[in-house]
Amino acid sequence: MYDYIVIGAGVMGSSTAYALAKEGKKVLLLEQFPIPHTRGSSHGASRITRTAYPEEFNGSIMAVANSMWKDLEKEAKTTLFKHTGLLCTTSTLHKELVDTQKTLQRYNTGPVPIIDSAEISKRYPLMSYPKEEKACFDFSAGILYADKCVMAFQKVFQKRGGEVIDMCKVQHVTPGDVVTVHTHRGNFQAKGLVITCGAWSSEILSDLGISLPLQVMAIQVCYWKARNGVDHSSLPLFKSIDRISNKYGMPTSEYDGLMKICLHYGVLCAGPDMRDNTDSKAEAKNLKMLTEFVASTFPYLVPEPAIKERCMYTVTPDNQFIVDHHPIHRNIVFGAGFSGHGFKMAPVIGNMLAELVQGGKPELLVDELRASRFDKKSKL
């Protein structure tokens, strides 16, 4: 019997398994697909990491996560992070920008001024924003090498005695003082269970009587080619927010010479196994919106994506994730609904879930992240 079982070996599950193994626990990490794979939300070469959040509680999580990524780099003996900085802009949501500025000034060193579009153009002549645009700069931001991050967690987890079984789909969970996880490869038992199944969370949680307002979105990840070989590699990361949609981007590490620019939004799909069967008209509408943004903001890019890939978001109504325990079986905990911005927080989330499944009270787990905030809409 194990001390703990973690279901789902994406970045959240791998981080949680590592956090438990670091405390000397006997831990089993289960994954339904072969490792590595591209079916979930943790694959790919790059993710933005930033402290630039309007919510103070997210800023407090990132202040800890930033140092934890460095610790993981040291233990795994590999480079996981490239420092670039991030430009956060808006033409309509100025209050949100001011709140972001406050978070940055609290958790970054030094002042964080708000600049206008003329100053943006002066600093970054390859970018063009309307005169109403305002921006602030997150000096802590950079790129996390996503695939390498997941592999690093799994490497140090196994080095500490952890066990990983992939191609092992969970069929049923029997709760109790001893939790039994039933799979097509046999049954496994533990004193506690952590569920970090990403887009498949609802399948397992519903089996345990938990219904959360989670929706699965198929996301188009787009890469854009420069006109006449114009070098965009010196640009910072960016996040542009408005009332209709958010966009983000970076000089890519996936494909030389291309920019990764995407909508922070996608098209709802019937379930995680239906990722490639979505509303083509809705996808075309989203791509048109993104193409128009690229054409107006990046005049030296070809306004047509050179490469399109897919990933998934699992989103909540407020776009904040959920970390909590089962209302009856407190030795079963879950993390879900990371809404396309949780990857960067994985070291902290892993520690939260590890502490929670052992009966602790994580300091950074605020009410805004618990399932109870959806009591009127959720069955808990």
Side-chain angles (χ1 to χ4, degrees), residues 41-268:
S41 303
S42 294
H43 65 278
S46 60
R47 293 292 188 280
I48 289 176
T49 182
R50 59 186 167 93
T51 311
Y53 274 97
E55 306 88 8
E56 192 276 335
F57 62 85
N58 279 325
S60 68
I61 289 173
M62 284 311 306
V64 178
N66 289 335
S67 63
M68 292 182 73
W69 283 117
K70 294 176 183 177
D71 292 340
L72 180 62
E73 282 186 317
K74 291 177 183 177
E75 184 170 353
K77 297 179 181 178
T78 188
T79 301
L80 303 175
F81 171 76
K82 178 183 178 181
H83 183 258
T84 61
L86 175 139
L87 187 70
C88 185
T89 83
T90 185
S91 60
T92 57
L93 300 176
H94 291 147
K95 182 183 182 303
E96 186 167 328
L97 187 68
V98 170
D99 289 341
T100 299
Q101 178 195 34
K102 291 176 181 176
T103 300
L104 290 173
Q105 290 184 153
R106 177 166 184 174
Y107 293 106
N108 284 342
T109 57
V112 181
I114 289 180
I115 61 176
D116 59 19
S117 61
E119 182 63 23
I120 297 173
S121 297
K122 181 180 177 182
R123 294 186 187 184
Y124 309 109
L126 297 180
M127 304 173 80
S128 176
Y129 282 100
K131 64 180 181 178
E132 311 85 49
E133 202 82 10
K134 305 290 183 184
C136 63
F137 199 81
D138 180 352
F139 292 95
S140 73
I143 297 171
L144 288 168
Y145 301 128
D147 286 334
K148 290 180 67 178
C149 290
V150 177
M151 288 188 289
F153 276 127
Q154 293 172 3
K155 175 184 175 181
V156 294
F157 166 63
Q158 290 175 296
K159 190 175 180 180
R160 290 177 178 270
E163 183 180 350
V164 180
I165 302 178
D166 65 353
M167 301 177 68
C168 185
K169 186 173 178 61
V170 172
Q171 298 170 323
H172 176 64
V173 173
T174 302
D177 292 338
V178 172
V179 182
T180 302
V181 178
H182 306 264
T183 81
H184 76 287
R185 294 179 63 175
N187 300 335
F188 304 95
Q189 291 188 315
K191 293 185 294 184
L193 175 67
V194 182
I195 299 168
T196 51
C197 299
W200 288 265
S201 294
S202 291
E203 292 182 13
I204 294 179
L205 291 173
S206 62
D207 187 41
L208 292 165
I210 297 175
S211 177
L212 298 176
L214 302 175
Q215 291 184 305
V216 179
M217 278 186 175
I219 306 297
Q220 294 185 89
V221 182
C222 298
Y223 300 86
W224 310 75
K225 187 175 181 178
R227 297 180 188 271
N228 303 316
V230 175
D231 185 7
H232 288 69
S233 63
S234 62
L235 287 179
L237 314 181
F238 77 88
K239 178 174 181 278
S240 293
I241 57 175
D242 62 39
R243 297 187 191 281
I244 299 174
S245 64
N246 295 344
K247 301 96 177 172
Y248 69 91
M250 67 189 81
T252 182
S253 57
E254 287 93 329
Y255 305 104
D256 286 344
L258 301 188
M259 283 280 291
K260 179 180 182 179
I261 302 175
C262 313
L263 284 180
H264 187 53
Y265 188 76
V267 177
L268 292 176

Side-chain angles (χ1 to χ4, degrees), residues 106 109 118 209 288 313 328:
R106 177 166 184 174
T109 57
K288 182 176 183 291
Y313 286 0
I328 299 172

Side-chain angles (χ1 to χ4, degrees), residues 311-373:
C311 74
M312 287 189 292
Y313 286 0
T314 308
V315 299
T316 65
D318 60 7
N319 290 311
Q320 302 295 344
F321 55 88
I322 304 169
V323 171
D324 218 328
H325 53 69
H326 192 284
I328 299 172
H329 308 288
R330 298 178 76 88
N331 60 340
I332 297 177
V333 305
F334 52 88
F338 290 93
S339 302
H341 69 100
F343 192 103
K344 66 183 78 66
M345 302 179 182
V348 175
I349 304 303
N351 276 14
M352 278 187 186
L353 289 165
E355 187 174 354
L356 199 62
V357 77
Q358 295 178 85
K361 296 181 179 180
E363 181 181 352
L364 294 174
L365 181 51
V366 295
D367 290 344
E368 289 89 343
L369 301 176
R370 286 192 175 270
S372 56
R373 72 185 190 271

